Amino acid sequence: MAKRLSKISKITKTKKAIKKIKASSAKPLFCFDIITALPESFDYLKTSLIGRAVKRGLIRIKIWSLRDFTQDARKTIDDRPFGGGPGMVLKVEPLYRALTQAKKIAPKRKKLVILTSLAGQQLNQKLINKLSLEKQLIIICGHYEGVDERIKKFIDMEISLGPYVLSGGEIAAMAIIDSVSRHLPGFLHNPDSLEEKRGGGKLTSWPVLTKPRIFKIKGKELKVPKVLLSGDHKKIQFWRGKKSKEIKL
């Protein structure tokens, strides 16, 4: 009963926080700016929890197309690398112009500039927790063979999704936005949905199941464990603890 009341209290506090944010209506809780060669890649950010958070004013997401910051008729954003070699390199001029414009919005707000790059720090939960303490992230999406090295004079850090190669940084940018947003007050309906909170400060995972109780396939019956249907919360918690796996950060 006490645990249930505690959860209700947390949800009530979350709702109050959302009302305060709406009432202020002036500034979003967190801002994301994405500088990209492929602005059409980001439809995902209009859906699900992120889309709802944008509509409620919790977060702001602004996408800056590099082609809007070119000065030639062909809207050229890339060129061949000096010294030869395969691939194309994103040009420094449109990158710098887009970054300058992004910084002009809410000039008093502290900003962290990120470049998605294979050579960057690998994204993990510790880094996500740190990024969630910022107020605004400006994310430059790497692409093609790379970006002109000179733009790195104007960034704060480089981030990689992992030790593998992607065609561009758009997926990495969306991963950063999704993972950081989960930590913002009011983003999740129930704060206990954060995996770290369920695991007592550790990032853990345990088996989850839903209807039907019995899944029949090829003559076999895959059943939901009886303990999950018992209604005994102590036994359920014990079962989850036994089955849980800690995810190493």
Side-chain angles (χ1 to χ4, degrees):
M1 183 68 180
K3 286 184 178 179
R4 188 179 176 186
L5 289 172
S6 177
K7 285 185 178 180
I8 292 171
S9 176
K10 286 179 181 177
I11 292 170
T12 304
K13 287 179 181 178
T14 300
K15 288 181 177 178
K16 286 180 179 179
I18 292 170
K19 284 182 180 178
K20 284 183 180 179
I21 292 167
K22 283 184 176 180
S24 66
S25 75
K27 298 177 183 178
L29 192 64
F30 206 103
C31 295
F32 298 97
D33 291 83
I34 308 166
I35 297 172
T36 174
L38 298 171
E40 64 274 13
S41 303
F42 293 94
D43 281 351
Y44 166 72
L45 299 179
K46 300 175 184 177
T47 65
S48 191
L49 291 171
I50 295 178
R52 289 200 286 271
V54 171
K55 288 180 181 177
R56 285 157 46 206
L58 288 175
I59 62 177
R60 173 185 67 73
I61 300 175
K62 171 69 175 174
I63 298 172
W64 304 87
S65 174
L66 279 176
R67 297 192 188 279
D68 293 337
F69 297 92
T70 57
Q71 295 183 335
D72 65 312
R74 293 187 177 183
K75 294 187 177 295
T76 306
I77 60 172
D78 61 347
D79 211 329
R80 296 188 182 281
F82 284 122
M88 303 290 278
V89 177
L90 286 178
K91 292 166 67 66
V92 67
E93 298 102 328
L95 285 168
Y96 179 75
R97 293 186 197 112
L99 178 58
T100 301
Q101 192 62 37
K103 286 182 174 181
K104 287 181 179 179
I105 296 181
K108 292 183 180 180
R109 184 185 284 260
K110 184 183 175 184
K111 300 167 177 64
L112 186 75
V113 182
I114 296 168
L115 172 66
T116 60
S117 164
L118 179 62
Q121 181 180 347
Q122 190 165 316
L123 187 68
N124 58 29
Q125 196 60 44
K126 287 181 180 178
L127 179 55
I128 290 163
N129 292 344
K130 183 179 178 181
L131 293 176
S132 69
L133 300 177
E134 299 290 335
K135 295 295 183 183
Q136 182 172 354
L137 300 181
I138 301 177
I139 306 171
I140 300 175
C141 299
H143 211 64
Y144 304 113
E145 181 65 17
V147 302
D148 190 301
E149 187 73 12
R150 290 168 288 186
I151 197 63
K152 294 181 182 180
K153 297 285 186 183
F154 309 99
I155 68 167
D156 298 307
M157 69 183 307
E158 297 179 59
I159 291 179
S160 167
L161 280 190
Y164 51 87
V165 180
L166 297 172
S167 298
E170 284 72 23
I171 293 174
M174 287 187 277
I176 293 168
I177 292 170
D178 193 316
S179 55
V180 169
S181 295
R182 289 175 57 80
H183 291 264
L184 304 179
F187 183 83
L188 296 172
H189 177 68
N190 185 346
D192 287 335
S193 293
L194 273 176
E195 286 77 5
E196 306 92 294
K197 289 191 176 182
R198 292 205 304 259
K202 297 179 180 179
L203 198 60
T204 58
S205 175
W206 55 67
V208 292
L209 300 96
T210 187
K211 296 177 182 179
R213 294 188 178 190
I214 301 174
F215 175 52
K216 296 180 180 180
I217 183 73
K218 295 182 179 180
K220 295 182 179 180
E221 290 187 348
L222 303 178
K223 299 180 180 180
V224 174
K226 289 182 180 180
V227 65
L228 296 180
L229 306 172
S230 67
D232 189 324
H233 294 291
K234 285 186 178 180
K235 288 183 178 180
I236 292 171
Q237 286 301 106
F238 178 79
W239 180 87
R240 285 175 172 169
K242 191 176 179 182
K243 295 289 184 179
S244 67
K245 296 178 181 179
E246 182 178 350
I247 300 169
K248 299 296 182 182
L249 299 177

